[in-house]
Amino acid sequence: MRRALLVLAGVAAFVLAWEGYKLAGSPDGTVLFGVRVLPRADDLSMPHLWTVLQRLGRPELTGGRPVWVVVLQACAFTFGITAVGFGVGALVGLLLAVAMQRFRIVERGLLPYVILSQTVPLVALAPLIAGWGGTIMPPWATVAVIAAYLAFFPVAVGMLRGLQSPSASGVELMRSYAAGWWRTLVKLRLPASLPYLFPALRLAGAAAVVGAVVGEISTGTRGGIGRLIVEYAREATSDPAKVYTAMLGAALLGLFVAGAVSLLEVPLMRHRRHVEVVTL
């Protein structure tokens, strides 16, 4: 109930901020020292939110399907790609974290490059991945690779921190039981890493959505919400609310993926607390 109220409060704050700025803001934007620091508040740049919602119910083209149906189908297509990229990225991140925890030399040699990988602009990297994999992979798989590229980093860093979180006394206790590395990993380190893992997975899910959307735009993959944003942006001057319907779909897709990951957290964290109580 508390989370639901916080979500509603966040939505209400966004609506008030949007409509409040549209009411009080300048149609030419707010300029400071010759630089526009706030956007234009005219109907072409910032349509009313109810106008965007009304546009969802009208046909995309004359006699065509409603916009909300088109946006929903595009989100479903992108969600499939996101799920694949998220799964691959999370698996790679977990394996890297375990390897870096197990071998200190791997952590020292690999972790800087893991961090450095996220400094490469995705817009520049996506066409390269499309060019490398275009001859051996379908377009959707190329986009999934781009999504996995963004998803693996938070999982690798968060899981590594979680695996290293057990106290020295806990590790020494496992050694006194003659527990090997694998048993210590399963019985001690993995349960201790769950509070670190799930926030990382939520970030990875949101990053996978961003990677999928940018990948669709950069590679020209049709059928997804990223391509739909580009197509609707061409009509921005004549139908500005239509552009925001696609962006609204992309935002809701990111929230849906993060929420789906949170649903996995509930049973696993409950099991972890149960194990801790039994152990005590």
Side-chain angles (χ1 to χ4, degrees):
M1 182 62 69
R2 182 183 300 176
R3 289 186 178 182
L5 291 176
L6 289 176
V7 170
L8 292 177
V11 172
F14 173 77
V15 172
L16 290 175
W18 183 282
E19 294 297 335
Y21 178 73
K22 185 168 177 58
L23 178 64
S26 171
D28 296 325
T30 302
V31 179
L32 184 63
F33 301 112
V35 179
R36 183 178 289 109
V37 294
L38 292 176
R40 297 183 177 92
D42 58 338
D43 292 337
L44 184 62
S45 302
M46 290 184 63
H48 288 287
L49 294 178
W50 57 80
T51 304
V52 177
L53 296 178
Q54 290 174 353
R55 188 65 184 89
L56 284 169
R58 296 200 299 267
E60 181 189 29
L61 301 172
T62 303
R65 297 172 299 171
V67 171
W68 72 268
V69 175
V70 179
V71 171
L72 184 62
Q73 290 178 344
C75 286
F77 181 86
T78 303
F79 174 73
I81 296 176
T82 301
V84 175
F86 173 76
V88 173
L91 179 61
V92 171
L94 290 173
L95 294 177
L96 287 176
V98 171
M100 287 188 289
Q101 186 280 319
R102 178 66 178 87
F103 303 104
R104 180 59 65 88
I105 189 173
V106 175
E107 178 186 357
R108 291 179 177 177
L110 191 60
L111 186 58
Y113 292 100
V114 171
I115 298 174
L116 184 64
S117 68
Q118 301 303 299
T119 64
V120 180
L122 187 61
V123 177
L125 186 64
L128 294 178
I129 296 177
W132 294 336
T135 58
I136 59 176
M137 293 188 298
W140 69 265
T142 302
V143 178
V145 171
I146 298 172
Y149 172 78
L150 287 186
F152 91 95
F153 175 74
V155 177
V157 175
M159 189 64 177
L160 176 61
R161 184 181 178 188
L163 292 175
Q164 294 175 340
S165 64
S167 62
S169 60
V171 176
E172 289 297 329
L173 180 62
M174 295 299 294
R175 289 177 180 173
S176 69
Y177 292 154
W181 172 81
W182 176 255
R183 193 170 184 82
T184 303
L185 175 68
V186 174
K187 296 295 184 179
L188 178 65
R189 296 191 183 276
L190 286 180
S193 67
L194 292 182
Y196 299 86
L197 175 61
F198 284 105
L201 288 176
R202 285 194 292 270
L203 289 175
V209 173
V210 173
V213 172
V214 175
E216 289 173 351
I217 294 174
S218 301
T219 62
T221 302
R222 294 185 175 274
I225 193 67
R227 186 63 183 178
L228 198 66
I229 292 175
V230 175
E231 294 176 355
Y232 284 2
R234 297 170 182 170
E235 306 176 34
T237 54
S238 60
D239 195 356
K242 193 175 181 180
V243 182
Y244 284 94
T245 59
M247 290 190 289
L248 178 63
L252 292 178
L253 177 60
L255 293 175
F256 176 77
V257 172
V261 174
S262 298
L263 291 178
L264 297 175
E265 180 179 1
V266 175
L268 290 177
M269 290 300 294
R270 185 178 302 169
H271 174 72
R272 176 178 179 269
R273 287 193 292 267
H274 175 72
V275 171
E276 290 177 346
V277 171
V278 172
T279 303
L280 293 174

